[in-house]
Amino acid sequence: MRSFSHFACVDWSGAKTERPDGIAVSVIGPEGPPALLTPMPRWSRTDVLAWLLRIAQDRRDMLIGFDLSMALPFLDTGCYFPEWRESPDSAKALWSKVDAICDDDLHLNATSFLNHQQTSRHFRHGGGHVGDLFAGGIGRLREVERYQRITGQANSASCFNLVGAAQVGKSSLTGMRMLHQLGGAIPVWPFDPVPDHGPVIVEIYTTVAALAAGLPKGRSKVRDRAGLKHALTRLNTATPARLARYDDHSTDALITAAWMKQTAANPALWNPPVMTDEIAQKEGWTFGVV
């Protein structure tokens, strides 16, 4: 199993604004505590893309986790968007399609995709608007999301549900635009082979890291220094200097970066026994779910 010298977690956001409050980036190196990267005034999604391109150019051995779903459910129906003739046939084709439809949307937003005549039919939108092809209940799930629920590792939400605080659809679609525009500069596991050197991007779920850090189910968000110190101590990691603000985006990023450093050398995390090649290419997988 290859090694990494640095680890980063990006807590992502699907908010429409240019610089959402919800984006946080944390990096931890061979020594010392994790640290937040804090551009002024705040991160934008295009800022994160530019940062990734610099990491790619530097060829730094960094494992970078993004808290978003990198594909939509496919295996349950054999299609991302049943009844749409132009439905993509792979995750990377999906990224391309989302970015093309949203070409005029500023700040890597995905509004046009959610309003598209065909794709909008599959989502539960706000304001009581439910697409006629929304699956009902909690919505369609990827195989990894279904597996997380069955095994109790996480209470994953459907990307097709855009309602409520737990919704992840908007952030995932904006993330797909970012991945497409990255243009293969950094390999994305499990869609790409893991190279011997250089950076790699993975999908992470910050709740998995929080549970590994000893936080209880249903109360995995940390919003003070004492909670952050407790979690990092469980991960054998020093606590960073006092933060300007202890919001859960920042603490999620710090805890997850530390968790990635502790676990990335475990071969089992790179070879989930239930992840087939088809799942890997159509739906992807959440790093750390085994």
Side-chain angles (χ1 to χ4, degrees), residues 39-89:
M40 298 299 291
R42 289 192 301 270
W43 286 101
S44 70
R45 284 180 285 266
T46 51
D47 287 340
V48 175
L49 176 59
W51 174 73
L52 289 172
L53 291 171
R54 291 195 297 272
I55 296 296
Q57 187 174 35
D58 292 344
R59 297 292 297 157
R60 181 177 293 186
D61 288 325
M62 178 181 286
L63 183 63
I64 307 163
F66 274 84
D67 186 22
L68 55 89
S69 297
M70 294 184 175
L72 296 173
F74 186 101
L75 275 293
D76 58 340
T77 64
C79 190
Y80 294 119
F81 299 101
E83 299 192 21
W84 185 29
R85 186 172 296 179
E86 297 181 20
S87 183
D89 60 1

Side-chain angles (χ1 to χ4, degrees), residues 15-256:
K16 289 183 179 181
T17 57
E18 179 182 4
R19 299 182 182 278
D21 290 337
I23 297 180
V25 182
S26 173
V27 175
I28 186 169
E31 299 179 356
L36 291 173
L37 304 184
T38 53
M40 298 299 291
R42 289 192 301 270
W43 286 101
S44 70
R45 284 180 285 266
T46 51
D47 287 340
V48 175
L49 176 59
W51 174 73
L52 289 172
L53 291 171
R54 291 195 297 272
I55 296 296
Q57 187 174 35
D58 292 344
R59 297 292 297 157
R60 181 177 293 186
D61 288 325
M62 178 181 286
L63 183 63
I64 307 163
F66 274 84
D67 186 22
L68 55 89
S69 297
M70 294 184 175
L72 296 173
F74 186 101
L75 275 293
D76 58 340
T77 64
C79 190
Y80 294 119
F81 299 101
E83 299 192 21
W84 185 29
R85 186 172 296 179
E86 297 181 20
S87 183
D89 60 1
S90 70
K92 289 189 176 183
L94 175 63
W95 303 348
S96 176
K97 180 68 74 173
V98 174
D99 194 48
I101 289 175
C102 299
D103 187 53
D104 291 332
D105 291 358
L106 298 176
H107 317 313
L108 294 180
N109 277 317
T111 304
S112 294
F113 193 81
L114 295 173
N115 293 338
H116 186 272
Q117 182 179 8
Q118 291 297 326
T119 58
S120 65
R121 301 174 66 194
H122 298 265
F123 290 89
R124 175 191 280 144
H125 305 264
H129 174 208
V130 181
D132 64 301
L133 294 179
F134 180 74
I138 63 171
R140 293 170 57 196
L141 296 172
R142 297 184 297 158
E143 292 300 308
V144 66
E145 293 156 355
R146 207 181 341 266
Y147 183 71
Q148 286 174 348
R149 283 176 166 264
I150 291 171
T151 58
Q153 296 182 66
N155 196 27
S156 303
S158 170
C159 285
F160 286 113
N161 173 43
L162 306 176
V163 179
Q167 72 88 15
V168 294
K170 294 175 185 177
S171 61
S172 296
L173 292 169
T174 60
M176 292 176 204
R177 290 197 67 190
M178 177 273 299
L179 291 171
H180 177 69
Q181 292 192 22
L182 190 57
I186 299 178
V188 182
W189 178 90
F191 310 103
D192 300 311
V194 176
D196 293 334
H197 301 285
V200 175
I201 290 173
V202 295
E203 170 188 324
I204 49 88
Y205 189 27
T206 57
T207 300
V208 172
L211 294 177
L215 296 170
K217 286 186 177 181
R219 292 186 290 123
S220 62
K221 296 302 180 184
V222 172
R223 298 183 177 92
D224 56 42
R225 181 171 175 79
L228 177 62
K229 183 176 182 178
H230 174 77
L232 291 177
T233 299
R234 286 287 297 265
L235 295 170
N236 299 313
T237 302
T239 306
R242 191 169 296 277
L243 306 182
R245 184 176 63 177
Y246 285 87
D247 60 84
D248 52 89
H249 306 294
S250 299
T251 58
D252 276 353
L254 290 164
I255 292 168
T256 305

Side-chain angles (χ1 to χ4, degrees), residues 270-282:
W270 298 93
N271 299 283
V274 297
M275 184 184 73
T276 65
D277 289 342
E278 184 178 29
I279 291 173
Q281 294 305 311
K282 305 290 190 185

